[in-house]
Amino acid sequence: MQAFQAIRVLQGEDGVLAGRLLLFDGADFSLRTVRLRSRCPECVVCGLGHELPGTYDMCDGPLHLLDEHERISASELATLRAQKSPHTLVDVRPPHELLICLLDETLNIPLDKFYSGQAADDLSNAAEPVLLLCRRGNDSQLAVRLLQKLLPGKAIQDVRGGLYAWRQHVDSQFPVY
C-alpha cells in the first residue's frame, strides 16, 4: 500500500493519503483513516527553528553533543581492548537489548540509572577511562554528559557511532539491529 501511495504522489494524482494516516486492525482486518494535525510553528520541538535545550531532531541523524576529545572511535576502542589497556566499557542500552548483541567484558548500566544518579555509585571506583557505548552513539553521549556532572574529574568518553561503528570499522560479523 505504501508503494502504491508513493507512485500516486509521484504522478501528482489526487486522493493520496497526505495529511492522513491509514490504520490497519489485524484483529478484524479493518481499515480506517485518521487526519493528522500539521506541525505547530511555535512548538519548541517540531516547529520552525526549534531551540529546546537538550533535545535533538530524530530526523537529522546522529546527535552532536560532545567535543571530539570526549569521544573515541570504535577502532580506538578495539586497540585499547587488544592491548588490554585499563578501561571500563559500559553499555547504556536497556537489558533486553543486550540479548540481541553485546561486546565481551562490558558492564551494563542502562541510561535511566544515569538520570537517577545510581550510575555514579556503580562507576565511582571504575578503571579509567570510562567508555560509554550504545547502539548508535546518541544515548551514550547523553550518559557521558550526565556522568560528567556526577563524577567531575573522571575520564569519561563516548564511543562514536556505538555498536554500528563497531560493526562498520572493527568486526563486520558483529550483529546489529
Side-chain angles (χ1 to χ4, degrees):
M1 284 192 276
Q2 289 174 329
F4 181 66
Q5 282 294 304
I7 291 169
R8 293 182 69 200
V9 168
L10 292 172
Q11 291 176 340
E13 293 185 20
D14 292 330
V16 296
L17 289 174
R20 295 179 290 157
L21 178 65
L22 180 65
L23 299 173
F24 170 70
D25 185 340
D28 63 6
F29 288 90
S30 64
L31 294 171
R32 70 184 180 122
T33 305
V34 293
R35 190 177 63 79
L36 300 175
R37 288 183 286 157
S38 59
R39 284 184 171 190
C40 175
E42 295 83 30
C43 178
V44 294
V45 176
C46 70
L48 301 173
H50 54 282
E51 298 291 333
L52 185 63
T55 65
Y56 61 99
D57 190 339
M58 298 291 282
C59 299
D60 285 343
L63 178 64
H64 299 286
L65 187 62
L66 304 175
D67 294 328
E68 281 305 306
H69 72 276
E70 297 172 296
R71 309 186 81 190
I72 68 165
S73 69
S75 300
E76 290 170 314
L77 173 59
T79 301
L80 279 175
R81 292 166 60 94
Q83 294 174 347
K84 302 205 183 299
S85 297
H87 68 280
T88 302
L89 182 60
V90 180
D91 192 321
V92 303
R93 295 176 298 147
H96 67 272
E97 291 186 26
L98 302 182
L99 300 173
I100 301 169
C101 60
L102 175 68
L103 290 176
D104 294 337
E105 300 175 25
T106 303
L107 179 64
N108 176 233
I109 303 176
L111 184 60
D112 61 343
K113 291 187 178 183
F114 288 83
Y115 282 105
S116 72
Q118 185 179 345
D121 297 335
D122 296 340
L123 295 170
S124 60
N125 296 318
E128 294 183 37
V130 176
L131 306 173
L132 305 182
L133 127 127
C134 63
R135 183 171 160 226
R136 291 190 176 262
N138 288 339
D139 285 349
S140 54
Q141 287 186 73
L142 295 170
V144 165
R145 276 290 180 251
L146 292 166
L147 195 58
Q148 286 172 335
K149 291 176 184 172
L150 296 169
L151 297 173
K154 195 152 187 85
I156 305 163
Q157 292 179 296
D158 161 65
V159 178
R160 188 183 314 105
L163 295 172
Y164 270 75
W166 182 265
R167 179 186 174 114
Q168 184 177 12
H169 301 292
V170 178
D171 180 1
S172 63
Q173 301 304 307
F174 188 78
V176 292
Y177 58 102

